[in-house]
Amino acid sequence: MSDTPAADRVTFITIDEGRDGQRLDNFLFVHLKGVPRSRIYRIIRAGEVRVNKKRAKQTTRLAAGDVVRIPPVRTSESTAPPVVSDGLAERLSRALLYEDERLMIFNKPAGLAVHGGSGVSLGLIEALRVLRPKETQLELVHRLDRDTSGCIMVARHRGFLRKLQRLMQQGGVEKRYWLLCQGFKGGERRMEAPLLKLMQGNERVVRVSREGKPSITDFTLLERFGDTALVEATLGTGRTHQIRVHAQFGGFPLLGDDKYGSERGDRKLADLGRRRLCLHARSLAFRHPESGERVRVEAPLDEDFEAILAALKADKR
């Protein structure tokens, strides 16, 4: 069987141990370099990609020994890796919070996507693959929204990726976020509201719906600044846009959220002369799947978030 993608013929790839457990879309992103992500998702939805002769979803987990059918797909003429600017390289170097032989944890800057696609040519993972060409198995362990800053884990080996993702599925990774919102009442709130992903045109949105997946977020007040509150959120589940949608549903939307926020919140930030989604992945804590050691990493707030906090404290006085 050929393992070389071609523009003019169907290819069949047998999954080896190194790819065991990888999502189908992530496998294709690497295998079909130069093909736009939108094109890859289209051929999956159209059933042109088959796993063991059957249609598969983009989220299908591949197993060692699976045979993936890939249709003829023409890659872009240029297969050169994306260019990482010196500025981005320096930012990522400074953003490294934790590193061992299996794992890296970065303090992702707000505005940097975790991966390319949807009009973004270069994300965190693509940049790291360019900057670390000898590391051929770098994979995102989880995701953050483009405009969310803070802790993001990158596995250096696919076997360790699977171990960490299993640990996350079992609730063994504690994720804490800091957010600024308006309308938060009391000291603690637990939101248990099922979340459903929808497409509105070309835009993905998430809504509270009885048809959605069970979702839990615990919110704890850290400090009040008049009508604005600094709140810590702890995730019981890890759904897309979970904190943002639960906060909106609970009546305390995040400042700077252009999808689930409020005009009142936009005005507040405008008065402060700032503009950003006020959501930061503050910390990660877990027991290392291989060493057994307890790992806890905390990401400092960036300059924008610190400036907004400073302005709110000044107004409070």
Side-chain angles (χ1 to χ4, degrees):
M1 290 184 182
S2 168
D3 63 357
T4 303
D8 57 354
R9 59 185 171 83
V10 171
T11 55
F12 294 88
I13 313 297
T14 301
I15 301 301
D16 60 21
E17 291 290 341
R19 296 283 183 182
D20 183 70
Q22 188 173 32
R23 276 175 49 141
L24 176 61
D25 55 356
N26 289 334
F27 166 73
L28 292 173
F29 296 154
V30 174
H31 191 73
L32 296 174
K33 287 178 180 174
V35 177
R37 285 172 179 255
S38 57
R39 172 71 174 138
I40 289 174
Y41 284 128
R42 279 201 301 272
I43 63 174
I44 295 173
R45 286 196 298 268
E48 296 178 60
V49 176
R50 300 275 174 142
V51 178
N52 301 328
K53 300 182 179 180
K54 297 179 181 177
R55 293 176 72 113
K57 296 181 179 180
Q58 64 196 47
T59 55
T60 296
R61 296 281 177 183
L62 300 172
D66 283 350
V67 177
V68 181
R69 175 198 185 273
I70 301 176
V73 181
R74 188 165 298 281
T75 61
S76 62
E77 292 182 9
S78 172
T79 57
V83 175
V84 179
S85 69
D86 291 343
L88 178 56
E90 184 183 349
R91 287 174 78 193
L92 292 179
S93 177
R94 293 199 311 267
L96 184 61
L97 300 172
Y98 172 91
E99 181 177 18
D100 63 30
E101 293 179 350
R102 303 292 182 186
L103 174 69
M104 294 181 287
I105 303 177
F106 291 87
N107 184 2
K108 186 188 80 66
L112 176 65
V114 293
H115 58 73
S118 301
V120 178
S121 60
L122 185 73
L124 171 72
I125 192 64
E126 290 86 6
L128 290 175
R129 287 168 179 161
V130 171
L131 296 170
R132 297 168 178 260
K134 293 182 179 179
E135 299 203 44
T136 60
Q137 298 188 43
L138 294 178
E139 298 281 359
L140 291 165
V141 178
H142 57 113
R143 303 189 180 195
L144 287 179
D145 295 339
R146 179 178 180 178
D147 294 324
T148 301
S149 55
C151 292
I152 183 81
M153 292 190 285
V154 176
R156 305 177 95 152
H157 304 279
R158 292 188 191 95
F160 189 73
L161 169 73
R162 294 193 295 274
K163 290 180 181 179
L164 260 182
Q165 289 181 332
R166 278 197 297 271
L167 187 66
M168 289 175 62
Q169 291 164 2
Q170 295 162 1
V173 178
E174 180 190 79
K175 298 180 184 178
R176 292 181 181 268
Y177 291 71
W178 281 13
L179 59 104
L180 286 168
C181 62
Q182 291 175 310
F184 189 82
K185 295 180 173 60
E188 295 183 351
R189 293 281 303 275
R190 166 167 278 205
M191 298 299 300
E192 292 189 65
L195 300 178
L196 179 67
K197 282 194 283 190
L198 302 166
M199 290 299 294
Q200 290 186 350
N202 293 324
E203 186 180 23
R204 180 179 61 183
V205 296
V206 178
R207 295 282 183 261
V208 171
S209 168
R210 279 180 285 187
E211 299 172 5
K213 294 181 179 179
S215 307
I216 301 173
T217 313
D218 288 306
F219 295 92
T220 303
L221 177 69
L222 297 177
E223 192 170 356
R224 286 197 189 277
F225 312 98
D227 63 349
T228 305
L230 176 65
V231 173
E232 182 175 78
T234 304
L235 292 180
T237 51
R239 311 298 182 203
T240 300
H241 298 173
Q242 177 174 318
I243 292 173
R244 297 163 64 186
V245 178
H246 273 176
Q248 177 200 45
F249 187 69
F252 47 98
L254 273 60
L255 268 62
D257 191 336
D258 59 6
K259 190 171 287 191
Y260 307 105
S262 67
E263 291 184 6
R264 180 178 164 216
D266 291 342
R267 287 195 300 271
K268 184 72 175 183
L269 278 184
D271 290 344
L272 298 176
R274 297 283 171 172
R275 179 64 190 171
R276 67 152 287 173
L277 172 65
C278 294
L279 180 61
H280 178 72
R282 179 64 168 174
S283 66
L284 290 167
F286 57 93
R287 192 165 296 284
H288 197 287
E290 293 197 353
S291 70
E293 294 180 4
R294 188 71 179 167
V295 176
R296 187 179 191 282
V297 177
E298 186 170 282
L301 297 172
D302 62 24
E303 185 178 330
D304 270 350
F305 208 122
E306 286 280 18
I308 293 169
L309 272 180
L312 288 170
K313 289 177 181 177
D315 283 352
K316 182 181 177 182
R317 290 195 295 268

